Amino acid sequence: NGQVLSDADLAVLGLPAQDYRRNTAKVRAEYGHVPDAEFRAGRLRIIGALLAAPSLYRTERGRRLWEDSARSNMAAELRSLSD
């Protein structure tokens, strides 16, 4: 059950690219009180750590459904944060 819950929590990372970008804009708005430089540094650390893991998802189904698109979305976000 814990593995399924973890995958469900991270499913947002595997959304279609446009939806992922829309979601990241909502996350930024939620943390609007955090200065841009600090927010960017935090996102870079979090995304970097997630991408360093051998797999984002705990179940085979999660990996099959979302792994590739999640990694693509986060790699694109990393590039945009690094510019």
Side-chain angles (χ1 to χ4, degrees):
N1 288 341
Q3 292 178 339
V4 172
L5 181 60
S6 176
D7 282 5
D9 186 49
L10 295 178
V12 68
L13 300 175
L15 290 171
Q18 183 176 359
D19 296 331
Y20 177 86
R21 288 190 301 273
R22 197 171 334 180
N23 186 67
T24 59
K26 290 177 184 177
V27 170
R28 181 61 186 116
E30 182 179 347
Y31 289 92
H33 61 283
V34 177
D36 285 338
E38 289 179 38
F39 182 82
R40 180 177 287 117
R43 285 296 279 190
L44 286 167
R45 274 193 310 275
I46 291 167
I47 293 169
L50 287 168
L51 287 174
S55 180
L56 299 167
Y57 299 97
R58 305 290 182 233
T59 66
E60 178 59 38
R61 185 167 191 229
R63 288 187 291 274
R64 187 178 67 251
L65 290 173
W66 304 305
E67 187 81 28
D68 292 341
S69 57
R71 287 186 176 279
S72 177
N73 285 334
M74 289 190 298
E77 185 177 359
L78 272 183
R79 286 190 300 274
S80 72
L81 290 169
S82 298
D83 292 340

